[in-house]
Amino acid sequence: MVSSDNRSMRFVHYDENQLGLLTNDGSGIIDLTDRLALDGEEPLIEYIEGDYNVSEYADVEPDHDIREVNIRSPVGRPGKVIAAPLNYENHIEEAISDRDITTKEWFSIKDKGYFLKAPSSVVGPDHGIELPFKDRRTDHEIELAFIMEGDVKDVPAEEAWDHIFGYTILLDISLRGDQDRSNRKSYDTFTVIGPCVTTADDIDDPQDLQMELQLNGERRQYENTGDMVYTCADVVQYASLGATLETGDVITTGTPEGVSELSAGDTIEAQIESVGDMTVDVTERDVSYAEADVQKGGQE
């Protein structure tokens, strides 16, 4: 896996809507919920929208061992999950050569814009991925994602950086087939986010981060974010033309080459330099898509 010695302010959402800071070595959590009197269902959003100073807590003794808590998505139910398609040249080439990835039509932001993922598909790394059909190909995709801060509309790219609160890892799990992109990427557990959010101030250059995904110990994806076709700021600019971006919205920036099929029992290890790393297990429902019976209901 890639390595990083950078120290940063990393927020983690865990257990029953607790917000904490990760210790420098990532092994412990300093609870902020009681210290800051946070009481909402989305403590990270409450923190972003409030007026808090957590620097005094950064070096206190941790309250929890990270192995003893349930790590959730930094934002449990974001208002929007906005995704950039085919944003690495090498993945575009991969998609052109493998029509299982793109079916008959592939496109970039320039061609058809972003797509949306259902907020209900969001889970944390400890929840794991559940494959919905045993007879349909489902792939992993590692991506750099970020959490928005404040309401943003029609923002130029050069100003977009000011509205990114922090960066995180996102696994865009993708059922292959002819369905609409937002449909086949929005099944339950298909948006794994975590394990933490590293604040933007602590990332020297978000367009120069090494990311890696290993499947069962074998490297499958390994790429630098500098190879994006459209930068993080470009995606914010485009997305803000059509919709007001709000605090807690998640934007994800596309995956590089190396996507491959998942199976029950697999383990994913995902890491992005200076951001974090997470381990995610894969299970499967005993359901066949071919045998699914979709009927027309209602009155004639």
Side-chain angles (χ1 to χ4, degrees):
M1 304 295 281
V2 292
S3 62
S4 171
D5 293 326
N6 290 351
R7 294 189 174 189
S8 54
M9 191 74 75
R10 295 176 293 172
F11 290 88
V12 62
H13 182 198
Y14 66 99
D15 288 351
E16 297 298 325
N17 295 320
Q18 301 290 109
L19 183 69
L21 289 176
L22 282 184
T23 55
N24 288 330
D25 64 3
S27 66
I29 297 175
I30 300 164
D31 180 72
L32 296 177
T33 307
D34 293 336
R35 290 181 171 95
L36 301 181
L38 302 174
D39 59 5
E41 294 185 2
E42 296 287 0
L44 182 63
I45 294 178
E46 186 178 355
Y47 172 82
I48 295 172
E49 293 180 334
D51 182 19
Y52 302 101
N53 182 1
V54 297
S55 59
E56 63 182 293
Y57 306 124
D59 295 321
V60 304
E61 289 295 314
D63 300 292
H64 307 284
D65 186 312
I66 194 169
R67 296 169 298 182
E68 297 175 354
V69 301
N70 177 46
I71 301 298
R72 306 176 62 176
S73 168
V75 179
R77 189 60 65 92
K80 294 183 285 298
V81 180
I82 295 173
L86 295 172
N87 200 24
Y88 288 82
E89 290 288 355
N90 55 20
H91 183 50
I92 293 173
E93 295 172 2
E94 177 181 47
I96 291 172
S97 64
D98 184 352
R99 286 304 185 184
D100 282 344
I101 296 176
T102 59
T103 65
K104 297 179 180 179
E105 188 175 26
W106 65 273
F107 59 90
S108 68
I109 292 176
K110 180 179 179 181
D111 299 314
K112 291 194 175 181
Y114 59 80
F115 63 94
L116 297 171
K117 300 196 70 175
S120 58
S121 70
V122 172
V123 294
D126 284 351
H127 188 285
I129 299 162
E130 184 179 61
L131 306 180
F133 305 113
K134 58 186 180 182
D135 56 347
R136 288 284 297 274
R137 173 177 166 179
T138 304
D139 289 0
H140 60 75
E141 300 184 1
I142 185 175
E143 307 191 3
L144 176 69
F146 49 88
I147 310 295
M148 294 300 297
E149 177 177 3
D151 291 349
V152 182
K153 179 73 172 176
D154 297 325
V155 63
E158 60 269 20
E159 297 177 15
W161 302 107
D162 298 332
H163 301 282
I164 295 175
F165 172 77
Y167 296 89
T168 189
I169 304 171
L170 186 144
L171 298 180
D172 177 20
I173 307 304
S174 303
L175 186 75
R176 302 307 184 190
D178 294 329
Q179 288 89 353
D180 177 79
R181 207 180 211 91
S182 292
N183 176 176
R184 56 189 178 81
K185 288 173 172 277
S186 286
Y187 286 89
D188 290 348
T189 77
F190 271 27
T191 307
V192 186
I193 308 177
C196 60
V197 175
T198 301
T199 55
D201 289 345
D202 289 309
I203 301 294
D204 291 335
D205 183 358
Q207 301 301 152
D208 186 19
L209 301 175
Q210 195 67 36
M211 58 182 178
E212 179 180 7
L213 183 144
Q214 291 187 6
L215 182 63
N216 301 323
E218 178 182 345
R219 177 186 287 176
R220 294 299 178 89
Q221 295 184 272
Y222 187 74
E223 190 73 45
N224 191 282
T225 58
D227 293 329
M228 289 182 192
V229 178
Y230 297 95
T231 68
C232 299
D234 293 335
V235 181
V236 172
Q237 179 185 30
Y238 187 94
S240 73
L241 296 176
T244 299
L245 307 180
E246 301 170 320
T247 298
D249 282 352
V250 175
I251 298 182
T252 190
T253 55
T255 198
E257 69 176 338
V259 303
S260 63
E261 187 172 5
L262 294 170
S263 300
D266 284 346
T267 298
I268 295 172
E269 294 175 90
Q271 186 177 66
I272 299 182
E273 177 186 9
S274 301
V275 175
D277 60 86
M278 62 184 183
T279 301
V280 182
D281 294 327
V282 181
T283 59
E284 180 182 78
R285 298 174 67 213
D286 187 21
V287 176
S288 169
Y289 186 84
E291 297 173 356
D293 186 13
V294 180
Q295 299 180 358
K296 181 180 178 180
Q299 298 178 340
E300 294 291 337

